[in-house]
Each structure stands twice: as structure tokens, then as C-alpha cells.
Amino acid sequence: MFLNYIKDFLVKKTLKNRLNNFKTSTSSEVIQTIGLLVDEKYFLEKEHLVNALMANGISKENIKIIAYRDKIKKNEIYTVPTFGAKQLHWNGSITDLVINDFIKEKFDLLISYYDVEKAILMLITQNSKAQFKVGFSSIDKRLNHLMINTNAENYKVFVHELFRYLKILNKI
């Protein structure tokens, strides 16, 4: 348990050093594919979030979800790919093939749906090849292009604000 805190601290320190040299690039393309990175400790209603995204014109086939859990039970079957802190090494590398495929996929929009800083979630967001990244304002400002000031339980407010700003930016 204590070693996990040390690992988390070291990875966050490395990540923050990388963010100092990080250059953002944005694209003016229309949003069609969405990657959704969810922390299930604070938000379990990912189906409602997907339905809200679909209500705004995004097809379900274009939404790819990956979820983080603090404790993964061996006998439990998950509906979406789920990972835990064990997939993160001390040097900041991620071993899980599903996570690495998610990072390498070029989404038009990555929604980082977590409002508590966790090293593995921040690392996935930072390393993602997504063209445009959206997250909560409580997370490090250098990770996302657009930050929405709400909490994770208010997914309706988040989606409403997200699509409001995407229309202003001519992304939809």
C-alpha cells in the first residue's frame, strides 16, 4: 500500500516535468470519434454519459470507453475494458495492451472523465494521440485543451457545456 503511494508520487513528478516541455497542437477537424477515459471510483453511470453523447449526434460505434478501478475483482465481468494501478510501472510505462492501443488511437476528441488526479489517468491523457482533449478544471491545466468547471457527478452539465463549446469552436 505504501509503495503504491511512492510509485504514484514518482510518476506524477515525472509527468509534471514532461508537461513543462509539452507543446499543444489543435486541429480544426469536425469531431467524429470520441475516446472516453472514466474513473469508476467517482462515476459509475458511464452508460448515461454515452447516451448523453449519442443524444448530441455522436454514434455509439464512434465512442470507445476505457475505465479505471482502484480494485479489480478477478471473478467479475466488466462491460468495458477496465484497468487498475497495477498496469503502471515505477518508470511511468504502461504494460497493458488494451491501454496502449487506446493511447495510440487517433481520436478526434478525448474526454478525460475524472476530477481527482491519479497518475495513471493523467499519463494516459498526456500520452494520448487525440486531436482535442477535454477534462475537468480540477486537473492540471496543461493536460487538456478545454477544461469544464463542474464535478464528475453532474454528467448532464458536463455534456451540455462540452457541446456548447464545441459548437463555438466549430468542432461539430
Side-chain angles (χ1 to χ4, degrees), residues 44-152:
L44 292 172
E45 300 173 358
K46 58 187 173 298
E47 292 84 21
H48 295 293
L49 180 61
V50 170
N51 289 336
L53 292 171
M54 289 172 33
N56 283 290
I58 306 295
S59 67
K60 187 171 181 141
E61 297 83 35
N62 291 337
I63 301 172
K64 185 172 181 182
I65 306 170
I66 190 166
Y68 170 82
R69 284 191 171 227
D70 287 332
K71 302 213 188 283
I72 297 179
K73 298 175 183 171
K74 292 181 182 178
N75 297 333
E76 191 170 343
I77 298 172
Y78 300 105
T79 57
V80 298
T82 305
F83 64 95
K86 290 185 179 181
Q87 280 79 18
L88 179 65
H89 285 283
W90 288 84
N91 61 359
S93 64
I94 297 173
T95 58
D96 194 280
L97 184 61
V98 173
I99 300 170
N100 286 326
D101 288 344
F102 185 83
I103 290 171
K104 291 177 185 173
E105 193 163 339
K106 285 197 162 213
F107 296 111
D108 296 326
L109 174 67
L110 174 69
I111 299 175
S112 300
Y113 207 83
Y114 56 92
D115 57 356
V116 175
E117 288 188 355
K118 293 185 180 171
I120 191 165
L121 295 172
M122 293 171 60
L123 192 65
I124 292 170
T125 300
Q126 197 258 337
N127 290 336
S128 175
K129 304 293 185 226
Q131 299 293 319
F132 194 72
K133 299 175 185 178
V134 176
F136 290 93
S137 61
S138 59
I139 305 301
D140 193 328
K141 310 293 186 244
R142 298 170 290 183
L143 282 175
N144 298 307
H145 298 105
L146 176 65
M147 284 84 48
I148 297 176
N149 188 16
T150 186
N151 57 11

Side-chain angles (χ1 to χ4, degrees), residues 1-15 18 85-95 119 123:
M1 186 72 173
F2 179 70
L3 293 176
N4 285 337
Y5 290 116
I6 293 173
K7 177 173 71 169
D8 195 52
F9 174 76
L10 291 174
V11 171
K12 279 185 183 179
K13 184 177 177 183
T14 305
L15 179 66
R18 280 193 223 159
K86 290 185 179 181
Q87 280 79 18
L88 179 65
H89 285 283
W90 288 84
N91 61 359
S93 64
I94 297 173
T95 58
L123 192 65

